[in-house]
Amino acid sequence: MLKNYLEQRHITLASGRSSIALEREYWKALETLAYDDGWHNWRDFFYVNVLPNKPDDMPLASHVRRTVTACLFSEYDKGRYG
């Protein structure tokens, strides 16, 4: 059962079509990071910048949250110390 605060989106993996459920704030952050990096949609950014670095022993949703958080901290540090 999908929690009220999660949003589910579909992706295509090598193993076939799948879905990922994240909090809406993470989807918004992923979309913003993609746009700021010059991508026209979050999926392109996801396939190039998030998915290739996923460890085998970590759930995909956890990896996405970790990657988005690391990107946001990186951007924060650039603004703070740049």
Side-chain angles (χ1 to χ4, degrees), residues 23-75:
E23 292 80 3
R24 288 177 185 91
E25 292 82 4
Y26 277 99
W27 286 120
K28 183 165 176 85
L30 189 61
E31 290 167 351
T32 300
L33 289 168
Y35 177 79
D36 287 350
D37 207 29
W39 298 93
H40 293 289
N41 63 63
W42 69 269
R43 280 186 177 85
D44 292 341
F45 179 84
F46 176 85
Y47 291 128
V48 171
N49 296 297
V50 178
L51 194 56
N53 302 319
K54 183 194 168 298
D56 292 335
D57 61 344
M58 178 180 281
L60 181 57
S62 297
H63 172 67
V64 173
R65 287 184 189 98
R66 185 176 79 174
T67 301
V68 167
T69 301
C71 287
L72 292 173
F73 273 116
S74 175
E75 291 298 316

